[in-house]
Amino acid sequence: MGDAFGDKLKRLREESGMSQEALAKELNVSRQAVYKWESNKGYPDIENLIQMSDLFAVTIDELIRSDKKLQNKMKMDDVESLAFSDPGFYIGIVLVLLGVTFFDDTLSYTMTIIGLLTILFFTDILRSFQSMFKK
């Protein structure tokens, strides 16, 4: 077998006497997901890698070390997660700039503080409101 993650997964699954269906059930995913991983057409998330590591008594390092394509994908995911995608950041910057540019004294300080708090806590506040209205 090759060095790809999917080849290792298939070998470990077969050595354990498990079917794709059984592994899928164990990981709480579809059989198609297992097929996709084994055919190197996709990769599991970190939670599933941890579960597979425990299930087959191997380290995550042993599962992914020689699969350069998977390692590159993980690097790209890390870079993408650093992008500023939080709307609270942009709203907060606008509030700070408005406070500093257009207002004097107390109103300027108030807008600046509200802007900074928005940058820091927008996502948390939004989640709180969402959870309140789900009930």
Side-chain angles (χ1 to χ4, degrees):
M1 300 253 166
D3 288 327
F5 168 79
D7 298 330
K8 288 180 186 178
L9 176 60
K10 183 175 182 178
R11 181 179 48 78
L12 289 168
R13 177 183 59 76
E14 288 174 345
E15 286 174 359
S16 297
M18 295 180 84
S19 65
Q20 285 184 342
E21 188 71 37
L23 179 58
K25 188 174 182 179
E26 185 74 31
L27 299 174
N28 200 26
V29 297
S30 68
R31 188 201 55 76
Q32 289 82 359
V34 173
Y35 169 79
K36 194 165 118 178
W37 300 337
E38 288 186 357
S39 59
N40 296 303
K41 294 180 181 176
Y43 297 103
D45 59 19
I46 190 67
E47 289 85 13
N48 283 321
L49 282 172
I50 292 168
Q51 283 184 287
M52 284 183 248
S53 169
D54 292 342
L55 182 65
F56 298 123
V58 295
T59 65
I60 292 174
D61 185 58
E62 290 173 280
L63 286 172
I64 67 171
R65 176 168 291 277
S66 59
D67 192 330
K68 298 297 181 196
K69 187 176 174 184
L70 174 58
Q71 291 173 15
N72 289 337
K73 182 187 180 323
M74 289 179 159
K75 287 179 188 173
M76 290 302 296
D77 289 347
D78 288 344
V79 169
E80 289 171 5
S81 71
L82 295 175
F84 287 103
S85 60
D86 183 9
F89 174 78
Y90 299 107
I91 294 169
I93 292 295
V94 169
L95 291 173
V96 168
L97 290 175
L98 285 174
V100 171
T101 308
F102 295 110
F103 300 107
D104 293 324
D105 297 328
T106 307
L107 194 52
S108 174
Y109 295 132
T110 304
M111 290 291 284
T112 302
I113 290 170
I114 290 172
L116 292 173
L117 290 173
T118 302
I119 291 170
L120 294 173
F121 299 112
F122 181 79
T123 305
D124 297 327
I125 293 169
L126 190 61
R127 286 185 187 138
S128 295
F129 279 123
Q130 287 173 340
S131 68
M132 284 188 330
F133 291 111
K134 282 184 181 178
K135 294 179 181 179

